[in-house]
Amino acid sequence: MLGSPYVARLVGGTLTCRLPNGMAPVAILVWATASGGSITFGGLLSALYGLPSALTQPVKGCLMDRGGHSTVHLPAGARRRLGPT
């Protein structure tokens, strides 16, 4: 499978695009401790950052399995363009 065309580009792009999502909790922890907060406080902030994603990703995956990627991504993209409500 790894020798198939476009696999290396797909995996590389996926890993590169997901890097900010993986680094955000680390950055929050570093910021909290550098600002004089405790590691406990930084860990709490990091956990609060990841909680919405942990709660919504299984639902999003289930919706994608049932209806396809475009039925989930198009409304989500349109919602994001509207901004916070």
Side-chain angles (χ1 to χ4, degrees):
M1 181 173 97
L2 294 176
S4 299
Y6 307 112
V7 170
R9 185 171 60 177
L10 177 66
V11 170
T14 299
L15 292 176
T16 302
C17 291
R18 292 180 188 220
L19 187 61
N21 291 338
M23 288 302 298
V26 176
I28 291 169
L29 181 63
V30 170
W31 170 80
T33 55
S35 299
S38 66
I39 292 178
T40 305
F41 180 66
L44 177 65
L45 289 177
S46 294
L48 288 174
Y49 171 82
L51 186 63
S53 179
L55 294 175
T56 59
Q57 290 302 323
V59 175
K60 184 178 173 184
C62 183
L63 289 172
M64 282 186 192
D65 288 342
R66 289 185 182 171
H69 288 261
S70 59
T71 58
V72 174
H73 287 304
L74 291 175
R79 166 63 182 92
R80 183 167 279 238
R81 290 287 281 172
L82 295 175
T85 56

